Amino acid sequence: MAEPTKKALYTSRVRMDVWPPQKVRQRVREVFWEVPDKAVAIADCQSFLDPLHILPNTNGTRNWGLFQISDARLSELGGTPRDALDPEWNIQAARTLWSRDRDFGDWPHCERAAEAPRSPAPRRSPTAARPAR
């Protein structure tokens, strides 16, 4: 990258307003009111609740935003990559996809993960080292 470009990027006063994970969780729960926990689990699995998450695929396509909307689905929904990186648009698009069959079939790997039983939190062993006093 050219030095003037790097300098311009680092000194720019333009900042993107990104939703923090708590706001993402809250909005996903509101939009997917019938299945709030599962919808949050799917989004978390897809993007770690990062609205700007972009995943390149080996075939040259990409998945975009919170619910990792694929290029093909994006085109089908009439959206653009910029739309898909907008958290509200992405959540509503995911809702549209979910509403077709009222399932998370567009996210098969994460659907299985969301349905898997949760592991219990590890217990601390009574013989575990204790901090020095």
Side-chain angles (χ1 to χ4, degrees):
M1 185 178 303
E3 195 59 37
T5 303
K6 281 173 65 174
K7 188 174 183 178
L9 289 171
Y10 287 117
T11 60
S12 174
R13 293 175 195 226
V14 175
R15 297 286 180 251
M16 294 186 74
D17 183 24
V18 178
W19 289 12
Q22 188 54 41
K23 183 174 181 177
V24 170
R25 278 187 204 94
Q26 178 184 343
R27 187 63 184 139
V28 169
R29 288 179 184 285
E30 291 168 358
V31 172
F32 288 90
W33 58 270
E34 305 94 332
V35 288
D37 293 336
K38 190 167 185 178
V40 169
I42 298 287
D44 191 18
C45 174
Q46 287 293 318
S47 67
F48 309 103
L49 303 179
D50 176 1
L52 302 179
H53 190 74
I54 302 169
L55 181 68
N57 299 309
T58 57
N59 65 1
T61 64
R62 289 193 160 84
N63 296 345
W64 304 91
L66 289 169
F67 280 90
Q68 291 292 281
I69 307 293
S70 69
D71 283 333
R73 290 287 190 234
L74 197 55
S75 176
E76 180 183 312
L77 295 167
T80 66
R82 183 177 184 159
D83 292 330
L85 295 177
D86 174 84
E88 184 65 28
W89 190 96
N90 194 285
I91 293 167
Q92 294 296 336
R95 171 71 189 205
T96 297
L97 295 171
W98 176 84
S99 294
R100 292 176 178 173
D101 297 315
R102 296 182 69 78
D103 71 19
F104 290 98
D106 275 84
W107 305 275
H109 301 296
C110 286
E111 184 170 28
R112 284 195 301 274
E115 292 174 349
R118 302 270 187 238
S119 299
R123 291 185 170 190
R124 185 175 175 175
S125 165
T127 59
R130 298 178 197 263
R133 292 184 190 197

